[in-house]
Amino acid sequence: MLKLSVARRTRGRAAMAVCGAAVLALAACGAGESSSGASGQTSSSDVDAARAMVQKYSAALTSYPEVEPVSGDVASLAGKTVWYVPIGAATPSLRLFGEGMANALRNLDVDVHVCDGKFVPTAIAACLEQAGNSGAEAVVTGYFDYQLVPAAIDGLVAKGVPVLVAGAAAPEGKTNTPQLAFDDTTEAQNLAQELTADAVIADSDGKANVLYLGVTDSPALKGTADHTVDFFAKRCPTCSVTRLDYNTASIDKVASQVSAALIKAPKTDYIVAELDTVTPLAANGAQSAGFADKVKFAATGADVTSLQRIAAGDKQFANTGFGGFYGGWRFADGIVRMMTGGVPVSEGAAVRVFTKDNIGGLDLTPAGFASNDWFGDNSFENTFLGAWGVK
């Protein structure tokens, strides 16, 4: 079995997916703010537990879950095309899931075509319709829930196109079949958010005053933010958390909203982002409010610029990554099984905390990001290939 750096999947959990995460139905609401003050005394054991988790998940992965052999005819997939439809390809981690899947399926002579959902339900539905009309043999969605575009997904299934709803929980009453299946990564997404919170708790000795930036693009992302705020309250009662929610459609307003929130909460000393793509805007807001030297940053997502900021000592001290390259191979395994008459079975996720203590030898470039090198070795590739009967 996989070491503790990999989180197991729990089926049937309430929908909370990506990038922490992603997605049920895109919410039209804008930013909102709420505060929760310190509600108790954080014990030294709580802080020690946070430090222990950060230390444990700072290590590179060296082992991965075993993968059951595929019983169907994998060789028959040669020459076929799988469409990957992420909720939004502008998010680096979501692009990486597609690149990992393409890297995996290339071994089977299967092509991957990407259609960008652009964080808009109509665009996502259009991608799915286009896949059905263009002869796609299978479709993998990326971090949006079935309920977002049920008619579009059902339309593909009715045409005999298998659909893997990846990164999302199955809605009530749905079970995995070779035609429609769900690969829920909620537990690993929540773990990544918890580890970012643990890094803040450890760094502050359990006394952090946090401005938390949550995302309202979907109930799933909002649920991930809810989970993180609840985790802060349980792990660090002495910490205070001000929550500022934003929508990707209005992300250009984040800097001014952060600036206003900091002025209202002058004791803030940490800004924590659910998704690290917003961190540069948050930094601009801190600069405008005169907080550039008063706050530290932590986030989840582990894109190139975030790790570069950590390496440069540029106020960001921690980021937790959820390895998209490994995730792409996991999703590839799921769709291979569906295309050969089975259902997804693989589990596990590459999760790692990045700080100045463990990024010194990493290739902090787009090439390094577009691999599994930041998270550990690539032994999982042979595991999957062996299960597919091509190694």
Side-chain angles (χ1 to χ4, degrees), residues 5 62 84 107 188 204 225 232 234 275 318 352-353 379 383-384:
S5 295
T62 58
Y84 173 56
N107 293 277
S204 68
F232 264 114
K234 293 173 184 177
L275 300 179
R352 190 179 186 190
V353 181
S379 59
T383 301
F384 282 115

Side-chain angles (χ1 to χ4, degrees), residues 125-164:
C127 278
L128 297 175
E129 182 178 1
Q130 186 181 356
N133 293 336
S134 300
E137 276 87 10
V139 172
V140 178
T141 68
Y143 290 94
F144 60 83
D145 287 83
Y146 169 84
Q147 293 96 325
L148 178 62
V149 285
I153 293 174
D154 289 345
L156 284 170
V157 174
K159 289 184 175 182
V161 180
V163 179
L164 174 62

Side-chain angles (χ1 to χ4, degrees), residues 211-290:
L211 174 62
Y212 181 77
L213 307 180
V215 189
T216 63
D217 280 344
S218 73
L221 283 167
K222 184 178 180 297
T224 301
D226 292 343
H227 178 86
T228 308
V229 172
D230 289 345
F231 181 81
F232 264 114
K234 293 173 184 177
R235 176 81 89 185
C236 189
T238 307
C239 295
S240 67
V241 177
T242 298
R243 175 172 171 177
L244 174 64
D245 286 337
Y246 69 92
N247 187 282
T248 299
S250 58
I251 196 171
D252 58 323
K253 299 178 182 178
V254 166
S256 61
Q257 290 162 344
V258 166
S259 179
L262 291 173
I263 292 170
K264 288 173 61 178
K267 292 184 179 180
T268 302
D269 46 10
Y270 291 87
I271 297 178
V272 180
E274 179 179 3
L275 300 179
D276 54 16
T277 50
V278 80
T279 302
L281 295 173
N284 290 341
Q287 178 75 35
S288 298

Side-chain angles (χ1 to χ4, degrees), residues 47 50-51 54 196-208 269-270 295-298 315-318 355-356:
V47 177
R51 289 198 175 103
V54 171
T196 297
D198 276 331
V200 172
I201 295 165
D203 188 72
S204 68
D205 286 325
K207 302 172 185 176
D269 46 10
Y270 291 87
V295 293
K296 295 181 179 181
F297 295 86
K315 303 301 288 185
Q316 183 159 353
F317 73 97
T355 67
K356 62 180 178 59

Side-chain angles (χ1 to χ4, degrees), residues 82-119:
V82 172
W83 278 50
Y84 173 56
V85 183
I87 183 174
T91 301
S93 57
L94 291 178
R95 288 200 306 272
L96 186 54
F97 280 104
E99 292 168 11
M101 187 161 52
N103 177 273
L105 293 178
R106 196 174 296 122
N107 293 277
L108 305 179
D109 193 24
V110 173
D111 291 328
V112 172
H113 176 83
V114 180
C115 188
D116 184 5
K118 300 178 181 178
F119 292 96

Side-chain angles (χ1 to χ4, degrees), residues 352-371:
R352 190 179 186 190
V353 181
F354 298 98
T355 67
K356 62 180 178 59
D357 294 328
N358 66 353
I359 65 173
L362 302 183
D363 176 15
L364 303 182
T365 67
F369 174 77
S371 71

Side-chain angles (χ1 to χ4, degrees), residues 39-91:
S39 59
Q41 184 65 39
T42 305
S43 67
S44 59
S45 61
D46 288 328
V47 177
D48 288 344
R51 289 198 175 103
M53 289 295 286
V54 171
Q55 182 177 5
K56 179 197 306 184
Y57 283 91
S58 293
L61 280 70
T62 58
S63 64
Y64 299 85
E66 295 297 323
V67 180
E68 296 178 12
V70 175
S71 59
D73 183 8
V74 175
S76 67
L77 304 183
K80 294 189 175 183
T81 299
V82 172
W83 278 50
Y84 173 56
V85 183
I87 183 174
T91 301

